[in-house]
Amino acid sequence: MVPVVQLCARDVPELPFPAGMDVLQVVWCPLIHNDEAGTVLPKVYWRSEQTVAGGRVLSDPPVPYEYDEEFVPRSCTVTPTRVVEYPNGDLPEGLAQSLSQRFDEIAEAFGFSYYETAVTVQSKVGGYPGWLQQPNWPVCGCGRRMDHLLSITATEPVEWRWFPLDEQGPESSDPSMWTGADDVVVDTIGHGMDMGDLGGLYLFVCPGCPDMPYAHRYDC
Ligand SMILES: [Zn+2]
Ligand SMILES: [Zn+2]
């Protein structure tokens, strides 16, 4: 297993934690599995910060001897930005039809399509999965459609709509929609994974069940 992400409740208060837990850790087996999702096999751990902080830190962490290198992240930190998303693939069909003229007007006025910009395609917690294929929400054993917990995606923002302004090239005078990243940061920010043709792994949980079962999907 390789470590993928660790988030604390104090940094992401909107995360649904099981009672008594305040750290979320995601690891995965970095081999492509022959299951329905056809990707790495993630495992979610809910822990308490007190236990994690009181534990021993390995000076020489084990590395996998067999792995798909597109799914092994390099060490990095997260610098979250809070944004509001609107559904793209999850927009109800009737609503999409009645709004289509307005979407055309937006594209005409601003030069980008609603569907390209309604959701982020970068790694994120909450919001809507940035579906590239048709939405495919898992359903919990209790019958409830699971909630989107987080996405780990290959796409780090180096240009376009969801690109962080503080990573913009220093001499760029382009509007933020069109500007590119500072070359210095392009090769250094983020986890550095290609994840198989710039795909993404989406994790879902059922907060209605006490043990918070989870499921995953792969999209590219
Ligand atoms: Zn495995
Ligand atoms: Zn459930």
Side-chain angles (χ1 to χ4, degrees):
M1 293 293 201
V2 295
V4 178
V5 64
Q6 171 174 281
L7 298 170
C8 297
R10 60 189 152 84
D11 296 324
V12 196
E14 296 91 340
L15 264 179
F17 282 90
M21 300 298 163
D22 55 7
V23 177
L24 165 68
Q25 294 177 332
V26 178
V27 301
W28 63 43
C29 168
L31 288 172
I32 304 303
H33 289 68
N34 209 3
D35 54 10
E36 190 196 332
T39 186
V40 293
L41 192 63
K43 220 163 153 39
V44 172
Y45 292 98
W46 305 99
R47 301 193 195 276
S48 88
E49 197 169 344
Q50 208 177 5
T51 318
V52 171
R56 201 165 55 90
V57 177
L58 296 176
S59 56
D60 195 14
V63 289
Y65 59 88
E66 201 185 1
Y67 54 89
D68 183 324
E69 65 181 22
E70 294 192 344
F71 289 91
V72 178
R74 65 184 170 202
S75 299
C76 60
T77 54
V78 289
T79 47
T81 302
R82 189 172 263 109
V83 298
V84 176
E85 291 191 325
Y86 298 93
N88 64 355
D90 289 304
L91 199 63
E93 202 178 314
L95 189 57
Q97 267 167 12
S98 46
L99 289 174
S100 68
Q101 196 186 333
R102 285 177 62 187
F103 292 162
D104 290 346
E105 288 163 14
I106 289 172
E108 181 86 5
F110 299 102
F112 55 84
S113 106
Y114 168 82
Y115 291 97
E116 280 169 359
T117 51
V119 297
T120 64
V121 291
Q122 286 81 34
S123 299
K124 62 183 164 187
V125 172
Y128 296 89
W131 301 111
L132 300 168
Q133 309 296 328
Q134 283 303 303
N136 178 14
W137 291 82
V139 175
C140 180
C142 72
R144 182 190 193 283
R145 193 185 82 169
M146 289 186 168
D147 289 352
H148 174 240
L149 176 68
L150 59 86
S151 291
I152 305 293
T153 64
T155 316
E156 288 295 335
V158 292
E159 59 180 2
W160 281 67
R161 178 69 175 80
W162 293 102
F163 166 64
L165 292 178
D166 55 357
E167 284 160 10
Q168 194 167 321
E171 68 290 338
S172 175
S173 57
D174 294 335
S176 63
M177 174 63 195
W178 303 114
T179 192
D182 187 335
D183 288 340
V184 180
V185 296
V186 170
D187 293 331
T188 50
I189 55 171
H191 52 63
M193 294 185 285
D194 287 339
M195 299 184 69
D197 203 16
L198 300 181
L201 184 123
Y202 311 152
L203 272 171
F204 302 84
V205 285
C206 176
C209 289
D211 57 343
M212 295 197 33
Y214 58 91
H216 68 285
R217 296 285 187 262
Y218 176 70
D219 193 28
C220 77

